Every structure is written in C-alpha cells, then in structure tokens.
C-alpha cells in the first residue's frame, strides 16, 4: 500500500509537471505568435493616424523645391510624425546605406509597411515619379484626400460614441437602477436579510459592465 501511495504521488507529480509545461508552453507559444501581429497592428494604427499630417509636411517641403529623397530624409528626422517618420527613415536607409534609387526604396518600404494607407501613398508616388508626373500635385491631392477621410472617420466615431452612450445609459444606469429597486422591494416584502442578487448587481454587474464599455470605447477611439 505504501508503494502504491508513493507511486501515485510520483504519477501525480509527473502529470502536474507535464500539464504545467503544456499549459505554460502553449501560452508562451501563443504570445510569441500573437505578439508580432499586435505590434504590427499598433504600428498600422499609428501610421494611419499620422500619415495625413506627414503628407502635409511632405507637400510643404515639395512646394519649397526640395527633392523627394531629401524630403523623406527630413521626414525621418521629425519624430512628431510617429511611425510615419519610421517608415521615412526606412526609405532614407535604403537610399543612403544600400545605395538604391528612390523608386526601389519606395517599392521595398511599400511592400513591408503594415499600413495599407502608407502602401497606397508610396505606390502612387512611385507611379508619379516613373511617369514624370507632378509629384507636388500628387502630394497635395493625397493630403486633401486623407484630411477628408480623417474628418469622415471622426464623424463616424462621434456617431458611434453617441449610440454607445445611449446604450450605456439604458443598460447600466436605468436598467441596473430598475433591478436594484425591484430587488430591494422584493427583499423587504420577503424578509430576505441577505439579498444576494442585489449584491451581484452592485458589486459585479455594474463594475464589469462599465469596464466593458470603457474597453470597447478605448479600442474604437481613433488615434490623433
């Protein structure tokens, strides 16, 4: 019997160790798989948010007669434009370190950027340079386009925020207040000294519901 007990403890220990390795190994693997996507998503949102302002800067520099290659170098040295500046530094790196021409540098960066907006902008710049078009006019057109898209995005967000606020008032204010009043009356009439459901509403439903609304609004809020 003692041998069986020791054998059972050994098997239990082995099972716990193997199970822990599988669980924590799986979690670690999932984190390593998901982390690049999370970083790329954050970069994409930042690029999309800062690109209209970066293009305004590019348009101003191009209007002043600065060459496109030098414009991207200057943009890369301007950290106020966030990840758009990082993409510009990648272009400058291809130009200055690897000795590529501007079209090749734009092509390489456009193929690796996580932002579809940036990719479209760089590919349009490549087409304009290749065809000998007016690059300054292209920059000006894209600046106006992205400014309009930003205004539309902000308007859509405000409309959605108004809808969410109405839902919050209905569900988390009026709804919970109705439940609290109803449960209080039922507790008084029934002589219940420990209304568990009332505690659930006050200490669980309201805090977690509010937290869910906060997380939802935070995830929907466009970067500025």
């Amino acid at each position: 019997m003692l041998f069986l007990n020791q054998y059972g403890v050994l098997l239990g220990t082995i099972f716990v160790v193997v199970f822990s390795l599988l669980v924590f190994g799986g979690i670690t693997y999932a984190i390593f798989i998901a982390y690049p996507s999370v970083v790329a998503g954050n970069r994409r949102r930042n690029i999309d948010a800062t690109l209209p302002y970066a293009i305004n800067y590019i348009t101003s520099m191009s209007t002043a007669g600065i060459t496109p290659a030098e414009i991207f170098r200057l943009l890369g040295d301007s950290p106020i434009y966030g990840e758009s500046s990082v993409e510009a530094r990648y272009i400058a790196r291809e130009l200055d370190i690897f000795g590529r021409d501007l079209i090749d540098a734009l092509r390489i960066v456009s193929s690796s950027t996580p932002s579809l907006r940036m990719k479209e902008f760089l590919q349009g710049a490549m087409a304009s340079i290749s065809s000998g078009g007016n690059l300054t006019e292209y920059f000006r057109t894209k600046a106006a386009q992205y400014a309009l898209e930003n205004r539309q995005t902000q308007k859509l967000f405000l409309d959605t925020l108004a809808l969410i606020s109405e839902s919050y008032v209905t569900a988390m204010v009026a709804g919970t207040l109705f439940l609290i009043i109803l449960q209080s009356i039922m507790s008084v009439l029934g002589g219940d000294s420990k209304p568990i459901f009332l505690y659930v509403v006050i200490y669980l439903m309201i805090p977690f519901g509010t937290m869910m609304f906060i997380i939802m609004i935070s995830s929907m809020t466009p970067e500025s």
Side-chain angles (χ1 to χ4, degrees):
M1 182 65 67
L2 180 61
F3 175 77
L4 292 177
N5 289 337
Q6 292 177 348
Y7 189 69
V9 170
L10 179 61
L11 287 179
T13 303
I14 294 175
F15 174 78
V16 170
V17 171
V18 172
F19 180 76
S20 300
L21 288 175
L22 290 176
V23 171
F24 289 107
I27 293 174
T28 304
Y29 177 77
I31 291 174
F32 272 96
I33 292 297
Y35 182 72
S37 299
V38 173
V39 173
N42 291 334
R43 292 196 68 235
R44 174 182 55 79
R45 286 188 292 271
N46 188 273
I47 292 172
D48 290 343
T50 57
L51 185 59
Y53 310 104
I55 294 179
N56 283 330
Y57 175 83
I58 291 173
T59 304
S60 300
M61 295 295 102
S62 181
T63 304
I66 300 176
T67 61
E70 187 62 26
I71 288 174
F72 285 107
R73 292 189 185 97
L74 293 173
L75 178 61
D77 293 333
S78 303
I80 60 174
Y81 298 108
E83 292 296 328
S84 294
S85 297
V86 175
E87 297 295 298
R89 285 200 293 273
Y90 291 156
I91 296 174
R93 181 190 63 185
E94 297 294 332
L95 293 170
D96 299 333
I97 297 179
F98 297 106
R100 306 183 193 276
D101 59 33
L102 182 58
I103 294 180
D104 282 341
L106 294 176
R107 177 180 54 79
I108 291 172
V109 175
S110 68
S111 64
S112 62
T113 180
S115 170
L116 293 178
R117 259 185 168 186
M118 176 65 80
K119 182 176 184 178
E120 177 193 0
F121 170 70
L122 295 179
Q123 289 178 343
M126 290 165 51
S128 182
I129 295 172
S130 300
S131 62
N134 190 334
L135 196 58
T136 301
E137 188 61 31
Y138 169 75
F139 291 151
R140 189 176 292 112
T141 301
K142 299 304 288 185
Q145 173 190 338
Y146 289 144
L148 177 61
E149 290 179 0
N150 266 9
R151 288 194 294 269
Q152 292 174 343
T153 301
Q154 292 292 338
K155 184 179 183 302
L156 178 62
F157 170 70
L158 292 177
D159 293 340
T160 306
L161 189 61
L163 179 62
I164 292 176
S165 64
E166 292 177 2
S167 302
Y168 178 80
V169 170
T170 302
M172 302 307 302
V173 178
T176 54
L177 183 60
F178 172 76
L179 290 176
I180 290 173
I181 294 174
L182 181 63
Q183 183 62 34
S184 300
I185 295 174
M186 293 178 62
S187 298
V188 171
L189 295 178
D192 187 3
S193 60
K194 294 182 179 180
I196 303 299
F197 182 73
L198 187 61
Y199 295 153
V200 170
V201 172
I202 295 175
Y203 295 110
L204 290 179
M205 186 180 297
I206 295 178
F208 282 101
T210 302
M211 188 180 302
M212 288 179 59
F213 272 94
I214 292 174
I215 293 174
M216 181 171 60
I217 293 174
S218 177
S219 64
M220 294 173 55
T221 303
E223 294 190 28
S224 58

